[in-house]
């Protein structure tokens, strides 16, 4: 069995640690934070096999350009000559075609379904109560254009074996009678689920600590030494950490960590915002996605978590209140009785989704170093795909056949 050092303590890093420890490896996780408030905590908590279409799609280029001129839009790219953004943008343009969408659907679906099954299994383990609910997700739409697009998507989903149904307004109303609707209908992604990310992360940390996994917090990796096609040690300032195997699970910080190894990990941080509101009436019991607004609403911990926006920029601590207002203002357009107030800045959570240019995660061995595994680039689906990525990372390091093909996720793919 190997001594494994995982760089990164988000959902992917901790899931990798979980399955590696279960496989008998000696595991250490190192992170520059305290592992208690990364991107894995503030997301919408959705498990989404329905999301088999990558970010890089033919229509996204034109739509993204239109959205750039609206300060409240759900997607924004800050214009910059940042080499990281230029490289990302060129690859995005290269992949934004129908062939890529078709090629990506099956591997993304397989990865998502594996992850959902693993979360179902994990929820039955002692100490892993993270409120997994399997009621699906409702994708609501207001326009004929969105209806047509979502109905087409549902048809594609069914071809992939996913349980999806196009619902009328009356059918939507029957599912949640207390929710007033101003929509044309919805697609019910019955294949989806949701959970509490805060409870999941806490459960993973508690398990790993009790299982003897070393959790090293507030240590930023500053240097990585290599020799003979292998990583020999990782340094945090003057402190040295050695292992047999190394995992890069550093989310939006992966390009910087990869650079220490001479690896070009092409991804951009996509800032997203969320905030929580009490919902004593339990108006929403099935998570909602607002198609045109690109907003997510999830019942969670006795309230509702509202989330949205994708803001591609350098990592920063700015809160763009216009983007948050865009989330708030979109909600009553779909649900007239639901009118969340604009939250105070201190109540707004933000995090950075590690978004690859082609919309697929990076999972696999590095070709340059035979003891490095890359597990990053999951975009908005980090939580959803975390469990599967963790298992696959464990299988790679254990030298076992992987549960699904990972060819499409090769870290150095073209």
């Amino acid at each position: 069995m190997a001594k494994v050092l995982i760089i990164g303590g988000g959902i992917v890093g901790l899931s990798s640690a979980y399955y590696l420890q279960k496989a008998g490896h000696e595991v250490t996780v190192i992170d520059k934070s305290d592992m208690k408030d990364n991107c894995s905590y503030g997301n919408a908590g959705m498990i989404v096999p329905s999301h088999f279409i990558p970010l890089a799609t033919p229509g996204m280029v034109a739509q993204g350009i239109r959205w750039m001129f609206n300060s409240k839009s759900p997607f924004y790219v800050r214009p910059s000559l940042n080499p990281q953004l230029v490289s990302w943008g060129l690859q995005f343009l290269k992949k934004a075609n129908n062939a890529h969408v078709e090629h990506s659907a099956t591997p993304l679906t397989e990865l998502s379904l594996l992850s959902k099954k693993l979360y179902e299994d994990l929820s039955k383990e002692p100490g892993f109560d993270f409120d997994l609910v399997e009621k699906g997700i409702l994708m609501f739409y207001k326009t004929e254009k969105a209806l047509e697009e979502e109905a087409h998507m549902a048809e594609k989903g069914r071809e992939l074996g996913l349980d999806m149904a196009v619902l009328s307004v009356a059918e939507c109303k029957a599912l949640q009678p207390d929710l007033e609707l101003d929509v044309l209908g919805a697609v019910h992604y019955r294949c989806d689920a949701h959970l509490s990310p805060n409870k999941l992360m806490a459960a993973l940390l508690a398990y790993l600590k009790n299982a003897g996994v070393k959790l090293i917090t507030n240590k930023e990796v500053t240097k990585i030494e290599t020799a003979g096609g292998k990583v020999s040690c990782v340094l945090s300032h003057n402190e040295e950490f050695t292992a047999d195997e190394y995992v890069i699970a550093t989310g939006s910080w992966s390009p910087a960590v990869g650079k220490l190894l001479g690896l070009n990990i092409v991804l951009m941080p996509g800032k997203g915002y969320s905030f929580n509101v009490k919902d004593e009436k339990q108006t929403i019991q099935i998570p909602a996605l607002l198609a045109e607004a690109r907003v997510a609403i999830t019942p969670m911990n006795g309230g509702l978590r509202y989330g949205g926006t994708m803001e591609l920029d350098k990592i920063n601590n700015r809160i763009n209140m216009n983007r948050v207002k865009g989330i708030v203002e979109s909600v009553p357009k779909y649900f007239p009785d639901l009118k969340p107030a604009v939250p105070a800045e201190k109540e707004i959570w933000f995090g950075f989704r590690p978004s690859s240019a082609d919309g697929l995660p990076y999972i696999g061995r590095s070709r340059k170093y035979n003891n490095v595994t890359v597990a990053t680039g999951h975009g908005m689906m980090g939580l959803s795909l975390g469990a599967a990525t963790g298992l696959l990372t464990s299988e790679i390091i254990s030298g076992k056949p992987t549960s699904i093909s990972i060819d499409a996720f090769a870290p150095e793919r073209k």
Side-chain angles (χ1 to χ4, degrees), residues 202-278:
L204 277 169
L205 283 169
Y207 172 86
L208 294 172
K209 189 175 181 181
N210 291 333
V213 171
K214 292 178 186 173
L215 301 171
I216 300 171
T217 58
N218 301 308
K219 296 282 185 184
E220 183 176 4
V221 172
T222 53
K223 188 178 180 182
I224 301 177
E225 293 186 350
T226 63
K230 286 188 171 187
V231 169
S232 53
C233 74
V234 163
L235 290 94
S236 176
H237 300 288
N238 294 323
E239 198 169 351
E240 193 174 288
F241 302 90
T242 60
D244 305 311
E245 295 277 351
Y246 297 83
V247 179
I248 297 175
T250 40
S252 289
W253 286 262
S254 297
V257 175
K259 196 173 181 181
L260 298 175
L261 283 166
L263 298 178
N264 183 28
I265 300 175
V266 181
L267 60 81
M268 283 294 294
K271 185 191 284 184
Y273 299 99
S274 73
F275 58 93
N276 300 311
V277 176
K278 287 182 181 178

Side-chain angles (χ1 to χ4, degrees), residues 13-290:
L14 297 188
S15 297
S16 298
Y18 175 83
Y19 289 106
L20 282 161
Q21 188 276 331
K22 287 280 190 183
H25 299 286
E26 182 186 336
V27 185
T28 299
V29 183
I30 184 171
D31 194 277
K32 64 182 183 60
S33 75
D34 62 4
M35 303 190 201
K36 292 180 180 177
D37 188 31
N38 52 43
C39 196
S40 304
Y41 285 85
N43 61 69
M46 295 179 175
I47 311 301
V48 285
S50 60
H51 285 41
F52 55 86
I53 301 294
L55 181 65
T57 59
M60 193 60 189
V61 177
Q63 179 67 77
I65 291 169
R66 287 194 294 271
W67 274 335
M68 281 179 69
F69 297 98
N70 178 358
S71 65
K72 295 179 181 177
S73 70
F75 182 80
Y76 179 71
V77 180
R78 184 178 290 274
S80 166
L81 292 177
N82 170 13
Q84 187 180 338
L85 176 60
V86 172
S87 175
W88 187 94
L90 290 172
Q91 285 208 26
F92 182 91
L93 289 169
K94 180 182 172 185
K95 292 294 183 179
N97 57 66
N98 286 320
H100 173 63
V101 171
E102 290 290 330
H103 177 72
S104 302
T106 296
L108 271 179
T109 302
E110 289 176 350
L111 188 62
S112 283
L113 290 175
L114 173 62
S115 214
K116 186 187 176 191
K117 175 66 168 61
L118 292 171
Y119 280 126
E120 290 169 347
D121 294 343
L122 191 61
S123 70
K124 296 167 188 168
E125 294 291 322
F128 280 95
D129 178 13
F130 46 84
D131 299 343
L132 180 67
V133 180
E134 299 189 64
K135 291 184 178 178
I137 293 172
L138 287 163
M139 172 70 88
F140 291 94
Y141 41 77
K142 290 182 63 70
T143 62
E144 291 287 347
K145 182 175 182 289
L147 186 160
E148 187 180 326
E149 289 172 354
E150 295 305 324
H152 176 70
M153 192 84 70
E155 187 181 335
K156 286 284 184 186
R158 287 192 293 268
E159 288 173 10
L160 290 163
L162 299 173
D163 188 2
M164 296 182 173
V166 179
L167 305 186
S168 66
V169 176
E171 288 170 320
C172 294
K173 192 77 177 170
L175 288 172
Q176 298 177 112
D178 296 330
L179 182 63
E180 188 181 346
L181 302 174
D182 184 6
V183 297
L184 290 183
V187 173
H188 194 183
Y189 299 146
R190 293 170 179 152
C191 52
D192 291 355
H194 72 283
L195 54 78
S196 169
N198 302 61
K199 291 184 178 181
L200 171 64
M201 295 296 287
L204 277 169
L205 283 169
Y207 172 86
L208 294 172
K209 189 175 181 181
N210 291 333
V213 171
K214 292 178 186 173
L215 301 171
I216 300 171
T217 58
N218 301 308
K219 296 282 185 184
E220 183 176 4
V221 172
T222 53
K223 188 178 180 182
I224 301 177
E225 293 186 350
T226 63
K230 286 188 171 187
V231 169
S232 53
C233 74
V234 163
L235 290 94
S236 176
H237 300 288
N238 294 323
E239 198 169 351
E240 193 174 288
F241 302 90
T242 60
D244 305 311
E245 295 277 351
Y246 297 83
V247 179
I248 297 175
T250 40
S252 289
W253 286 262
S254 297
V257 175
K259 196 173 181 181
L260 298 175
L261 283 166
L263 298 178
N264 183 28
I265 300 175
V266 181
L267 60 81
M268 283 294 294
K271 185 191 284 184
Y273 299 99
S274 73
F275 58 93
N276 300 311
V277 176
K278 287 182 181 178
D279 181 34
E280 292 168 359
K281 295 180 180 178
Q282 294 189 320
T283 320
I284 291 183
Q285 297 167 33
I286 301 171
L289 292 169
L290 312 184

